[in-house]
Amino acid sequence: MLKAAWDLVESPVGPLMTVVDGEGRLVRVWFGNDWAGLGMPAAERDAARCAEVARQLREYFARQRREFDLRVAPAGSPLQQQVWRQVAAIPYGETRSYGEIATRVGGAAVARAIGRANGANPIPIVIPCHRVVGADGSLVGYGGGLAVKAALLRLEGARLASLGQLPLDLG
């Protein structure tokens, strides 16, 4: 079996480190280019094995792709997997609140767990956790930072009053 492979993709929000497993499934996207100490298994840099991920990310940033067609294998608990499926179903340019996701997954009893699961999403952008906002439409929490979250939502044409309050416009 092949080892995991990684490569860097330049993007308008900075470098993205992508990781595919031995079967070619996307398992991680990190903002930045340093994964030291992040608990990743041994991997080798291999642009060819990561080429499809890079192509689709570039198309997304060029506004030529609204949905990703990648095999993904995010590692997480059953609840996290359920949350990520709900998040992946949010259409391009739209948002859902944490409460709306909680209602679909298990009601108010899991509301806090929804935020934690969204924050633990190992494949941001592809599993579009940037589309999850506060109940009042406010931008809350994002692994890449709120400016990046705002930039991704602007790129998609999302309409939120809070978008204008943060820098980094992708054009």
Side-chain angles (χ1 to χ4, degrees):
M1 179 183 224
L2 293 171
K3 282 201 271 185
W6 66 273
D7 199 21
L8 293 176
V9 177
E10 292 302 322
S11 84
V13 296
L16 301 171
M17 180 174 278
T18 63
V19 181
V20 297
D21 67 11
E23 297 176 36
R25 301 172 302 180
L26 181 63
V27 295
R28 288 298 301 216
V29 173
W30 271 296
F31 292 97
N33 57 11
D34 183 10
W35 66 0
L38 294 176
M40 236 348 260
E44 58 192 12
R45 188 167 191 173
D46 189 335
R49 288 183 44 214
C50 297
E52 182 61 18
V53 174
R55 182 181 70 78
Q56 290 193 30
L57 283 167
R58 286 186 193 104
E59 289 172 355
Y60 168 81
F61 284 110
R63 291 188 172 106
Q64 297 168 341
R65 174 172 295 278
R66 291 176 169 241
E67 294 179 14
F68 290 93
D69 182 23
L70 296 167
R71 292 184 316 132
V72 298
S77 71
L79 176 62
Q80 288 172 323
Q81 298 287 336
Q82 194 174 7
V83 169
W84 298 333
R85 281 191 296 276
Q86 289 295 320
V87 170
I90 302 171
Y92 181 95
E94 295 184 23
T95 60
R96 300 289 183 271
S97 72
Y98 288 95
E100 288 174 287
I101 301 292
T103 298
R104 292 180 180 153
V105 171
V110 298
R112 288 188 194 272
I114 300 306
R116 286 191 300 274
N118 206 47
N121 174 12
I123 310 175
I125 303 173
V126 175
I127 298 176
C129 53
H130 60 278
R131 297 179 189 155
V132 182
V133 298
D136 62 356
S138 61
L139 299 184
V140 291
Y142 192 64
L146 291 183
V148 170
K149 183 173 189 165
L152 294 172
L153 290 170
R154 277 192 205 108
L155 173 82
E156 295 181 9
R159 302 277 184 237
L160 293 172
S162 55
L163 290 179
Q165 300 170 4
L166 293 166
L168 193 56
D169 192 349
L170 302 179

